[in-house]
DNA sequence: CCATCTGGTTACGTCAGGGTGCCTATGTCC
DNA sequence: GGACATAGGCACCCTGACGTAACCAGATGG
């Protein structure tokens, strides 16, 4: 294996891996998707919390903050008495929503393939 | 998204999540891709090992076995003196290769978006 | 006076993914 | 004889993602 060979395509920072990174957080893609699809690109923390069954407050905040740091959303704080914060999808965020929709769409179109997969996590029968 | 079943769409076993499951192993998608793209759908363990810089023997075997269990590849063992084993992509595996190519393709086409992402893992400067 | 609602943080604990290293078994090569 | 290559098993470890629960702050309302 020499340098310059196709093997170098698989470095840590290659496109494929960076794409996958986006899906490595469990909630990121769902937040992005929900934000875009059901919340019209902007929502308050509480709304998001209630829109994503199963997520904990901590994970929401944490993921949202990471997303902000990544430039996927904008965090706006209103200095009101009961704290109010909302998160808005950035144009960059929307680019990734496209990808996510692509992926989710594939999932819907290929549900049979997904069904054919012998899952190793839910099998009890 | 139509109202009526919003929250239920996000159950553990919804299509979106199952799709993401495929990418949750770090090596699965790369193995699939390499197997299809560079190895013509079939390769011996050693070849795969050398084709995926950074993977450890354990992870290769483990991932490959998981993939076999999932029905993505077929494992063939030749009872030869120096053990020989090869893995072949199944039709199901090829379905998923399509998805992976889709994803990787997006990554290549949108490298600028990936670049625009402020990574929180590599920045030290 | 206390509960509550808001958004967050912090401490704490669990668990699985991932990685390293060592071990087997046989046959060939030095 | 000893090293190496083949494919893989197994023990051990480490990290970090994830989750839970408690707590903070300030105003409101009962």
């Amino acid at each position: 294996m020499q340098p310059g060979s196709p093997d170098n395509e698989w470095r840590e920072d290659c496109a494929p891996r960076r794409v996958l990174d986006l899906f490595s957080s469990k909630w990121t893609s769902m937040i992005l998707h929900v934000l875009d699809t059901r919340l019209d690109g902007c929502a308050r923390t509480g709304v998001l919390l209630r829109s994503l069954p199963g997520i904990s407050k901590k994970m929401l905040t944490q993921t949202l903050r990471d997303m902000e740091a990544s430039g996927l959303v904008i965090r706006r704080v209103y200095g009101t008495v009961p704290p109010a914060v909302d998160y808005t999808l950035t144009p960059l965020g929307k680019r990734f929503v496209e990808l996510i929709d692509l992926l989710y769409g594939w999932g819907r179109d290929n549900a049979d393939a997904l069904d054919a997969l012998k899952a190793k996590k839910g099998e009890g029968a």
Side-chain angles (χ1 to χ4, degrees), chain A residues 1-68:
Chain A
M1 303 316 122
Q2 334 61 28
S5 76
D7 290 340
N8 264 349
E9 269 185 52
W10 298 103
R11 301 166 51 111
E12 284 298 335
D13 61 329
C14 62
R17 294 213 191 179
R18 288 195 299 169
V19 174
L20 294 195
D21 254 28
L22 192 53
F23 301 103
S24 64
S25 334
K26 173 174 186 181
W27 293 111
T28 305
S29 64
M30 285 186 262
I31 292 178
L32 240 26
H33 182 82
V34 164
L35 211 42
D36 178 67
T37 303
R38 294 180 44 206
L39 271 16
D40 209 40
C42 181
R44 292 187 55 178
T45 312
V47 175
L48 280 168
L49 199 57
R50 284 180 287 272
S51 296
L52 291 160
I55 197 173
S56 68
K57 211 193 306 195
K58 194 196 84 169
M59 285 315 298
L60 211 215
T61 310
Q62 183 177 308
T63 308
L64 244 11
R65 291 308 191 90
D66 283 349
M67 290 167 64
E68 186 197 12

Side-chain angles (χ1 to χ4, degrees), chain A residues 58-113:
Chain A
K58 194 196 84 169
M59 285 315 298
L60 211 215
T61 310
Q62 183 177 308
T63 308
L64 244 11
R65 291 308 191 90
D66 283 349
M67 290 167 64
E68 186 197 12
S70 296
L72 296 171
V73 296
I74 303 263
R75 177 168 183 267
R76 257 183 315 192
V77 183
Y78 303 88
T80 56
V81 180
V85 175
D86 68 27
Y87 296 87
T88 311
L89 227 42
T90 63
L92 185 62
K94 291 188 186 177
R95 300 259 317 256
F96 286 97
V97 168
E98 294 172 20
L99 173 61
I100 289 161
D101 286 345
L102 201 66
L103 209 66
Y104 287 4
W106 189 95
R108 271 183 287 274
D109 294 345
N110 293 271
D112 60 311

